[in-house]
Amino acid sequence: MAQNPESRLFIGGRWIEGRKTFPVVNPYTGAEIARVSAAESEQVEEAVQAAQSSGMSSLTGAQRHALLETVAGEIRRRSAELTALLVRETAKPLRYAAAEVDRAAQTFSFAAEEARRIHGETLELDAHPQGLGHFGFYHRFPLGVIAAISPFNFPLNLVAHKLAPALAAGNSVVLKPASATPLIALALADIIAGAGAPPGAVNVLPGKGAELGLALVRHPRVRMVTFTGSLEVGRTIRENAGLKRVTLELGANSAVIVEDENRLEEAVKRCQVGAFAFSGQVCISVQRILLNRKLADSFLERFLAGVASLRRGDPMDPETEIGPMISETEARRVESWVNEALDGGARALTGGKREGSYYEPTVLDQVRHEMKVYSRELFAPVVCIERYSDFEEALLRANDSEYGLQAGVYTESMDKALLAFRRLQVGGVMINEYPTFRVDQMPYGGVKGSGTGREGPRFAVEEMTELKLCVIRT
Ligand code: NAD
């Protein structure tokens, strides 16, 4: 499969040739690895129709559980070829691609568990005098057709985070994967169909986001949009979705605060991975490191030594830690933002150069908050250093962002940890851990410009079901 990935549209359980195609390019070699069919508006219609008539909602909990467990098993069985495909499509270093494939299997397994425990509760209606003589309960029902729109950076596991809970809850999905990385999503659709999903349960429409994505978002029979991607596109989706349910998993410029020295070595190592894994193209990558002045020099000395030792190379090589960005256009954007910061008085402690689509791991000091490298989502192997003297001041600075996805705090004080938990305006606070920490069952999502709603199978199932009440007069 990875040698010859499916490259057509997947609608109603069938592979369909599109009238037009577009290339998918290996960002490391620059070679075209496939020409993929591009869906058009009539196929949006066909896919929504197929999804609506899939019969997913009549599968039993046991059937949905078995389907999702079979998918998880198949992902594990084919992990080597899926990993290779992921590396070729994204240039994600092998070690991180393999971890993503493993996580995708976990995501399906966690969702399989949820398929067996969709439930409601009984209600104390006689707590109100007029409720006397009434018995009430509610249950959760599938919404129907869900449109899923996904980004390039975790093109397997983030698709899994949409498809698996949607199917667990008895919904069907029309997926629009990122244009740069549709092949792994098509491979996953193949696995789901092979595992026995009803035709139409999952449909995949590669193509242009602005056309297909919006057609799905506006479609009257789509009941929910689950989107992961940039703030800019998230805003457009929110404006066009009307009364549909919308989950938005958007960007961030995540901060980590290093307050105490007790775990300095650990903090240094985690920040190195958090800032530079997959060239920083991770929604919870470390973009801002806030250091207590008392430990800033010893942190930086170790951190810069670690950055210098990062192994650059072929993403297919298991030793490689850093490769190219997804495209030269992206690397050029980063170059211009960093140059703007340097012109404005920031200092590069290391890095600051671009070669084609490769951008050097870069550490910036003396950065002002209004600079793009600090205030916007960089999504690149670049990290900003800031020093502070007072912990509460550090919390304020971490909150000085239009985003709020996750934050990390290294401290040995329980009081400070709890203060951070209360004050930080984010969806998740990681204590003695980097903001990049995620395991797939946890509730994951942001506040402010980082979006609305939560993923993680249990929480996504709640978002993807409708609560319906039943009252019985006794
Ligand atoms: P993007 O916003 O450019 O694209 C995401 C998806 O939206 C793609 O499938 C694209 O084709 C589609 N799209 C583009 N324009 C559209 C429109 N007008 N209407 C509907 N759909 C449209 O994002 P990207 O560059 O692929 O991914 C990077 C972004 O994703 C970053 O901002 C990153 O932080 C974010 N992200 C967030 C999370 C999270 O869970 N919070 C996870 C991963 C990535």
Side-chain angles (χ1 to χ4, degrees), residues 22-25 33-38 89 149-153 155 176-186 205-213 326:
F22 65 95
V24 175
V25 172
I33 51 176
R35 287 205 75 84
V36 175
S37 290
E89 197 173 31
I149 304 177
S150 57
F152 78 83
N153 64 331
K176 210 305 280 172
S179 317
T181 56
L183 295 175
I184 195 84
L186 291 164
L205 301 180
K208 283 215 174 82
E211 287 167 25
L212 297 176
I326 193 72

Side-chain angles (χ1 to χ4, degrees), residues 149-154 158 176-179 207-210 213-214 217 227-231 233 236-237 249-252 282-283 377 379 405 438 444 450 455:
I149 304 177
S150 57
F152 78 83
N153 64 331
F154 282 84
L158 291 181
K176 210 305 280 172
S179 317
K208 283 215 174 82
L214 270 192
V217 169
F227 171 77
T228 301
S230 60
L231 171 57
V233 176
T236 309
I237 287 176
E249 299 288 347
L250 309 178
V282 177
C283 49
E377 178 182 41
F379 222 57
L405 193 47
R438 182 178 187 189
Y444 180 75
S450 292
E455 286 195 335

